[in-house]
Amino acid sequence: MEFLLQQVINGLTIGSVYALVALGYTMIYGILRLINFAHGELFMLGSYLAFSFIASVGLVNVIPNLFLAIVVVFILSMGLVGFTGVAIERIAYKPLRHAGRLPAVVSALGVSIFMQNAVMLTYGTRYKVYPEGIIPTMAWEILGVEITLMRLIILGIAISLMFTLYFFVQKTMVGTAIRAIALDHDTSRLMGINVDSIIRLVFVIGPALGASAGIMVGLYYRQINFTMGWAYGLRAFTAAILGGIGNIPGAMIGGLLLGVAEAFGAGYVSPQWKDAIAFTILILVLIFRPTGLLGERVAEKV
Amino acid sequence: MKRFVVWLCVALLVVALAGCGQQAAPAEEEEPAETLEPIKIGVQGPISGQWAYEGEGFVDAVSLLAEQLNAAGGLLGREIVVIPGDDKGDPKESALVAQKMVAEGVTAVIGSYSSSCTEPASAIYDEAGIVHITPSSTATRLTEKGYPRFFRTCFLDDRQALFVSEFLRNELKFSKLALLHDNTTYAKGLADWTKLYFEERGGEVVFFDAITPGEKDFTPTLTSVKATNPEAIYFSGYFPEGGLLAKQAKDLGIDAVFMGGDACNNPEFVQIAGLEAAEGAMISTAPLPHDLEYPEAAKFIQDFKDKYKEDPTSVYTVMAADAFRIIAEAITKTESIDPEKIAAYLRNDLKDFPGITGPINYDEKGDRLGSIHLFYRIDANGQFVAYE
């Protein structure tokens, strides 16, 4: 029982990171029908920017209040990554918006390779390590399950960000506009929605959420490298598909589910089978529910 | 105007080409061009990627020694050129780098770092008839293939495993051990040998499995390890994962002693794990450079420090230097750059060569004789302290 609970906690921690990254895939797919393969790299960039703010700029030492310092690091990194997201959209996707889906996907792959190399050349090839002890190492044992402060922080931040996004999309005017664009660009434009500015906004939100996940990975595992965007990007993409791509709650549930599936695979079978089990689940879902767990069959526009 | 520029470019090109031709001609007349050609020594290693620390060390060490030799007149009156090849620690890249080295016409190659990378490269070098010395690939099966020009300056997995097993059983009196590897040639080999020797000595291996290198989250695996209640966890893989495992084991409240093989012998292990989790971790390895008591070691470390402003902290940097030194020795003694002669010299005539890492002798397989393994314990300041 303890073992099971511990594995659920292990899975939820990493799963909430997947979920945050998956939101970026799902939102951009939802409005542009584009799989943004550069999204994993935006996640990685967030991690590196926060590393710079903490280790090089020394923000944690400059600002006396630790909580405030961390908040500033999050806001700065997420903001910069959001800005990068908009820049990528403007340079790599917007000129191709009417060229069909394939050119945009190829362009996304190009951006992904470009960003990896840019980070590699800027920061060097060695693994970077976040300074020690930013988040105090506190741990509690509840029902035989070891829970650290960092895990609570990850779960807390991830869940609150996800719910904020959910309510933003469901309850506000701008959110309604996002949903409208997801259905039909041209009609939305006729209704007076500024389609381009909404797309820009989505390219701020998605990457910024990805960046927040990157920062938490940096703070938790402490070790980051310029190639990690690919591995996390792939898992998050899987999570988005699992939940039904284009569907926001789907991305959240898909992420958490994938995390727990991986933890169970590693814990009950063998760590070597971890990926195999996670991806087998994906294949099964796609066979029996091709639109993902929460996806609905949407009539294709012609 | 545009046309003028074009013509100017063409004119310059013609002049430049003519110049090349003229320069080349007299050189051939004076002396056979061959003897003036530099001797090329390849250094293959992970210069980028997760093990970049080690690959950079190889190149730094060999470049330093080559520079010193060149300043003293080179080898056989010929200049030495070091050709670095970056395989990123990836076996696929390794084969490409090896092919590149062959095309460059190197005399000998030092590298690669991991056994998984050395394995495909060694086949290519064997076919091309090039001397290949690895400073750090310890998997036993590499020399079992019988390549006549393949050598190492490091010591083998099975000897390290024997040392580890005896230490765990006899010194620490541990009987329950969890073994983790990462499925790379080296790590799997070391784990398999350790399991064999530890069980032969009456110990029990309660957990034996592989993690996936490059991942960051090992908590599910460690949760399983915790359930088996081992006295020690021995991880035979590399430092990027080793550091994470040590940290996450601590986070999960596992109080078994964390132990790593020689690929965890790296200051980055401590950085990644953090001081708190690294303290008390034990690493089995060949001695660190500053614990080498040979006069050659002191000189090399000093020269290295003068040039690069930092200590060689990895023993494999030093092993790479030794690989270069025995190649230079063989070329000098045989007065030839024929790989066959160099290999024959190393195998048959090299006796107690004063290496930085101690005397170097080879058995008929190309393995270095002897073993100098030690256990290091990481102290509260993150320093590796030899365990007495």
Side-chain angles (χ1 to χ4, degrees):
Chain A
M1 189 62 197
E2 281 165 22
F3 185 76
L4 178 86
L5 273 179
Q6 182 73 58
Q7 293 296 15
V8 171
I9 298 286
N10 293 340
L12 286 180
T13 319
I14 188 77
S16 60
V17 170
Y18 295 159
L20 276 181
V21 185
L23 284 172
Y25 276 107
T26 232
M27 287 182 75
I28 288 165
Y29 183 84
I31 58 156
L32 285 183
R33 298 287 179 272
L34 163 71
I35 292 162
N36 182 14
F37 278 113
H39 191 62
E41 270 59 49
L42 288 162
F43 156 87
M44 178 268 295
L45 182 68
S47 206
Y48 269 89
L49 286 175
F51 169 78
S52 292
F53 288 129
I54 293 170
S56 311
V57 184
L59 264 183
V60 180
N61 304 328
V62 175
I63 302 170
N65 185 325
L66 179 73
F67 177 74
L68 193 70
I70 299 282
V71 170
V72 171
V73 167
F74 264 88
I75 291 175
L76 279 177
S77 316
M78 286 168 75
L80 278 174
V81 173
F83 178 76
T84 314
V86 177
I88 289 173
E89 196 270 337
R90 185 71 192 78
I91 297 164
Y93 303 148
K94 200 176 173 204
L96 298 169
R97 204 176 288 163
H98 301 290
R101 285 191 197 179
L102 195 59
V105 169
V106 174
S107 182
L109 284 172
V111 172
S112 144
I113 293 166
F114 171 82
M115 284 183 64
Q116 261 192 37
N117 283 285
V119 171
M120 182 185 87
L121 292 173
T122 319
Y123 288 89
T125 53
R126 286 189 192 177
Y127 278 35
K128 292 285 168 199
V129 182
Y130 272 53
E132 203 177 339
I134 302 172
I135 307 291
T137 43
M138 278 189 256
W140 300 272
E141 205 186 295
I142 303 160
L143 300 170
V145 179
E146 207 76 26
I147 297 173
T148 55
L149 177 66
M150 190 61 222
R151 290 188 162 197
L152 290 181
I153 293 177
I154 292 182
L155 278 170
I157 293 181
I159 289 170
S160 47
L161 280 176
M162 287 191 276
F163 275 99
T164 313
L165 177 74
Y166 184 72
F167 284 109
F168 174 72
V169 171
Q170 293 297 328
K171 307 285 178 201
T172 62
M173 278 295 272
V174 183
T176 314
I178 293 176
R179 281 181 291 140
I181 287 180
L183 289 177
D184 192 330
H185 285 207
D186 294 332
T187 316
S188 308
R189 197 172 279 120
L190 290 175
M191 296 295 172
I193 297 172
N194 186 341
V195 173
D196 282 333
S197 69
I198 295 290
I199 289 176
R200 265 199 299 278
L201 179 70
V202 170
F203 268 95
V204 173
I205 298 173
L209 289 174
S212 73
I215 303 167
M216 291 194 290
V217 163
L219 287 172
Y220 183 35
Y221 301 114
R222 298 197 28 250
Q223 171 221 60
I224 57 171
N225 52 297
F226 65 93
T227 50
M228 72 178 183
W230 172 250
Y232 280 84
L234 182 69
R235 302 277 170 60
F237 175 62
T238 309
I241 302 264
L242 190 63
I245 194 158
N247 184 310
I248 288 174
M252 301 181 205
I253 290 170
L256 295 174
L257 215 70
L258 185 70
V260 175
E262 277 190 358
F264 279 13
Y268 285 99
V269 190
S270 159
Q272 307 186 57
W273 287 84
K274 185 171 150 181
D275 287 352
I277 289 165
F279 286 99
T280 307
I281 292 176
L282 174 74
I283 293 168
L284 289 178
V285 168
L286 288 182
I287 290 172
F288 294 108
R289 238 191 110 75
T291 51
L293 293 175
L294 298 189
E296 290 149 35
R297 191 170 291 278
V298 186
E300 280 282 307
K301 286 176 297 180
V302 185
Chain B
M1 188 59 197
K2 228 179 204 171
R3 185 165 290 178
F4 172 72
V5 174
V6 171
W7 280 114
L8 189 68
C9 288
V10 171
L12 283 176
L13 201 67
V14 169
V15 173
L17 285 175
C20 288
Q22 274 172 357
Q23 270 178 351
E28 268 173 47
E29 282 165 25
E30 280 169 19
E31 236 174 318
E34 247 184 8
T35 51
L36 285 181
E37 256 178 41
I39 300 174
K40 293 178 177 172
I41 305 287
V43 179
Q44 179 188 346
I47 303 169
S48 69
Q50 54 174 345
W51 303 322
Y53 186 91
E54 300 285 1
E56 285 169 15
F58 286 6
V59 177
D60 286 352
V62 174
S63 308
L64 169 70
L65 292 178
E67 224 168 74
Q68 288 175 347
L69 264 183
N70 282 336
L75 276 178
L76 312 178
R78 296 164 66 168
E79 192 198 352
I80 302 159
V81 176
V82 176
I83 299 184
D86 180 10
D87 62 27
K88 304 185 174 79
D90 178 347
K92 294 188 289 290
E93 296 274 343
S94 169
L96 294 177
V97 169
Q99 278 154 2
K100 196 193 104 192
M101 290 285 183
V102 172
E104 286 268 5
V106 295
T107 302
V109 175
I110 297 162
S112 177
Y113 173 61
S114 62
S115 298
S116 315
C117 281
T118 299
E119 200 167 4
S122 65
I124 293 169
Y125 292 134
D126 176 60
E127 213 164 88
I130 290 172
V131 176
H132 181 198
I133 305 184
T134 171
S136 57
S137 302
T138 52
T140 41
R141 78 166 192 239
L142 291 175
T143 33
E144 274 157 17
K145 303 185 177 186
Y147 297 143
R149 288 166 299 270
F150 180 72
F151 299 90
R152 11 190 175 199
T153 46
C154 53
F155 299 98
L156 294 201
D157 284 349
D158 57 343
R159 291 179 209 162
Q160 182 177 178
L162 185 65
F163 166 75
V164 170
S165 308
E166 289 192 334
F167 183 84
L168 284 171
R169 288 295 294 144
N170 305 339
E171 288 276 327
L172 301 176
K173 313 276 184 222
F174 283 173
S175 55
K176 283 168 86 183
L177 176 69
L179 276 168
L180 280 169
H181 62 95
D182 65 7
N183 265 335
T184 56
T185 311
Y186 148 77
K188 175 96 171 38
L190 180 54
D192 282 341
W193 286 109
T194 308
K195 182 171 191 293
L196 180 80
Y197 290 138
F198 190 72
E199 284 176 346
E200 267 180 14
R201 278 159 188 71
E204 189 193 352
V205 174
V206 290
F207 187 92
F208 186 90
D209 215 333
I211 52 127
T212 313
E215 279 209 17
K216 303 219 183 297
D217 191 64
F218 303 115
T219 48
T221 313
L222 287 168
T223 305
S224 308
V225 171
K226 190 182 181 184
T228 62
N229 224 353
E231 285 161 288
I233 303 171
Y234 187 71
F235 174 60
S236 64
Y238 296 83
F239 59 88
E241 288 82 27
L244 286 173
L245 280 165
K247 176 178 182 298
Q248 290 169 22
K250 178 104 185 165
D251 280 351
L252 284 171
I254 298 177
D255 22 75
V257 180
F258 190 86
M259 302 181 136
D262 57 346
C264 285
N265 169 13
N266 192 305
E268 287 194 16
F269 173 87
V270 181
Q271 264 192 40
I272 293 164
L275 282 180
E276 201 185 330
E279 190 190 346
M282 313 243 312
I283 311 290
S284 64
T285 173
L288 291 169
H290 57 75
D291 288 334
L292 293 165
E293 57 219 4
Y294 312 96
E296 291 79 9
K299 179 181 180 310
F300 176 78
I301 292 171
Q302 192 53 47
D303 290 349
F304 194 93
K305 219 160 145 182
D306 289 344
K307 178 146 195 241
Y308 301 110
K309 311 287 172 240
E310 61 176 13
D311 271 333
T313 41
S314 164
V315 72
Y316 297 117
T317 307
V318 183
M319 294 277 189
D322 263 349
F324 180 81
R325 291 173 75 239
I326 58 171
I327 293 172
E329 167 83 2
I331 291 177
T332 316
K333 286 281 158 67
T334 57
E335 292 183 352
S336 145
I337 58 162
D338 179 9
E340 297 302 335
K341 287 187 187 160
I342 295 175
Y345 178 83
L346 290 179
R347 202 169 290 263
N348 308 320
D349 303 324
L350 192 78
K351 288 281 170 287
D352 285 327
F353 177 77
I356 302 170
T357 52
I360 300 176
N361 294 292
Y362 283 102
D363 67 4
E364 67 286 351
K365 282 195 296 179
D367 282 332
R368 188 170 169 184
L369 294 171
S371 157
I372 51 171
H373 289 106
L374 273 182
F375 251 107
Y376 279 87
R377 189 176 177 283
I378 296 170
D379 70 8
N381 301 318
Q383 298 300 313
F384 287 71
V385 184
Y387 190 91
E388 306 291 340

